[in-house]
Amino acid sequence: MTPELITRLPRLEALFDAHMERFGKDLTPYRNHVYRLVNLVAAQQTLDAEARDKLAVAGFFHDAGIWLAGTFDYLGPSARLAEHYLEEQGLAHWQEEIEAMIVNHHKISGYSSSSGPSDNDRLVEAFRRADWIDVSLGMLRFGIPSARVRLIKRAFPNAGFHRLLFKLGGQQFLSQPLRPLPMLRR
């Protein structure tokens, strides 16, 4: 576990700066959500510089398809946006792990790769748990002390993120009632 809060990741800040206009008024709520995720992963395991960078990329892109591709069915578009970014940055060797973090972050059951457990699986599973913790407003904690969750939430306030999720979910339900949550995975 990383004891201090992670308050700034240069790669993440650069990504938000590059796409600031596309997020509009949702920039702060989404940015805070991503930093909550990063810190919730750090509450589960120690992160080296490379893991922090991977989390910056996966964190930024995991829901970004909502804004950058204009869809609530965003897992595929978000993964493709991340893939393009990684190729541009010369980081294509991270592709498999980043894609796994993005497409499995709404997975209901635990994550393990089809090739068997690996070190990469730990980061993917920690990211999945972090998103569930945040989306559940801390009701799910996967062993993280409630005091730590509260500390992270105070440092990076909700700023309307969950209200935004309810609004988008409602719009999705009205437009496609048979697919109200297309991002959920078993």
Side-chain angles (χ1 to χ4, degrees), residues 63 65-67 69-75 77 172:
D63 292 342
I66 294 170
W67 296 273
T71 180
F72 197 59
D73 192 0
Y74 54 83
L75 294 180
Q172 174 70 20

Side-chain angles (χ1 to χ4, degrees), residues 36-170:
R36 287 192 302 271
L37 293 186
V38 168
N39 281 285
L40 289 165
V41 172
Q44 297 173 66
Q45 64 188 61
T46 302
L47 302 173
D48 61 17
E50 183 174 285
R52 287 177 185 223
D53 248 6
K54 288 177 180 178
L55 284 172
V57 175
F60 177 81
F61 286 106
H62 82 286
D63 292 342
I66 294 170
W67 296 273
L68 304 182
T71 180
F72 197 59
D73 192 0
Y74 54 83
L75 294 180
S78 294
R80 286 188 295 279
L81 289 163
E83 178 181 11
H84 180 71
Y85 171 81
L86 291 169
E87 287 172 2
E88 284 181 340
Q89 298 295 309
L91 298 169
H93 58 284
W94 289 0
Q95 169 60 34
E96 187 177 327
E97 186 175 15
I98 300 296
E99 181 179 0
M101 283 191 259
I102 292 169
V103 300
N104 292 293
H105 78 274
H106 286 302
K107 193 171 187 307
I108 295 169
S109 59
Y111 172 81
S112 64
S113 62
S114 58
S115 59
S118 72
D119 287 340
N120 292 350
D121 288 359
R122 289 186 65 235
L123 192 58
V124 174
E125 175 61 9
F127 188 78
R128 184 193 73 82
R129 288 178 178 184
D131 194 70
W132 278 105
I133 293 166
D134 195 56
V135 168
S136 74
L137 296 167
M139 290 189 293
L140 298 173
R141 292 196 322 270
F142 298 99
I144 297 174
S146 58
R148 184 66 174 193
V149 174
R150 281 193 308 273
L151 176 70
I152 293 166
K153 287 167 66 174
R154 273 195 306 274
F156 300 99
N158 190 287
F161 182 72
H162 286 78
R163 185 173 36 248
L164 172 66
L165 294 181
F166 285 121
K167 176 185 166 195
L168 293 170

